[in-house]
Amino acid sequence: MSVEVGRVREHGVYILFSRESGPLYVGKTRDIHQRITSWLHSEGGTGKPVDFESYAWLVFSEEDVAEMESWLIRELDPPHNIQLPMSALYECAVD
């Protein structure tokens, strides 16, 4: 896979996709470039638990990134994310 990630070194949310099944995983990161690069260059079972074919990223402020990650997980329902009960999400937002 040859991909130009660019040098996006900002907070954001990334989505890993499979051609057959759509969104596989949603995650948040402090450095999009570093996170996507680590996913692309990891080997087998050493840090790449999801076999993905493409990805997308969205840049958000540090304050908004956790909320947007939670929203995308609820909306996309990716199979490799753990679903938190709504009560846990509200507790995180209040803290």
Side-chain angles (χ1 to χ4, degrees):
M1 175 185 295
S2 175
V3 179
E4 177 56 42
V5 178
R7 298 288 177 194
V8 181
R9 297 203 179 272
E10 297 183 52
H11 293 85
V13 176
Y14 60 95
I15 308 166
L16 306 179
F17 294 94
S18 164
R19 189 170 296 151
E20 293 83 33
S21 59
L24 295 172
Y25 181 78
V26 174
K28 65 181 181 285
T29 183
R30 292 182 181 153
D31 184 329
I32 293 171
H33 173 77
Q34 180 182 1
R35 175 50 103 189
I36 296 295
T37 301
S38 73
W39 277 99
L40 292 172
H41 297 293
S42 59
E43 298 290 329
T46 62
K48 188 176 176 184
V50 178
D51 187 21
F52 66 98
E53 295 174 337
S54 63
Y55 62 90
W57 71 87
L58 305 160
V59 175
F60 294 103
S61 69
E62 184 176 2
E63 296 80 23
D64 294 335
V65 87
E67 182 179 344
M68 293 310 300
E69 178 197 32
S70 295
W71 182 81
L72 284 166
I73 290 170
R74 285 193 312 274
E75 291 296 312
L76 299 175
D77 194 26
H80 292 279
N81 284 95
I82 297 171
Q83 295 293 331
L84 296 174
M86 288 302 288
S87 60
L89 295 174
Y90 286 119
E91 287 173 15
C92 291
V94 173
D95 290 342

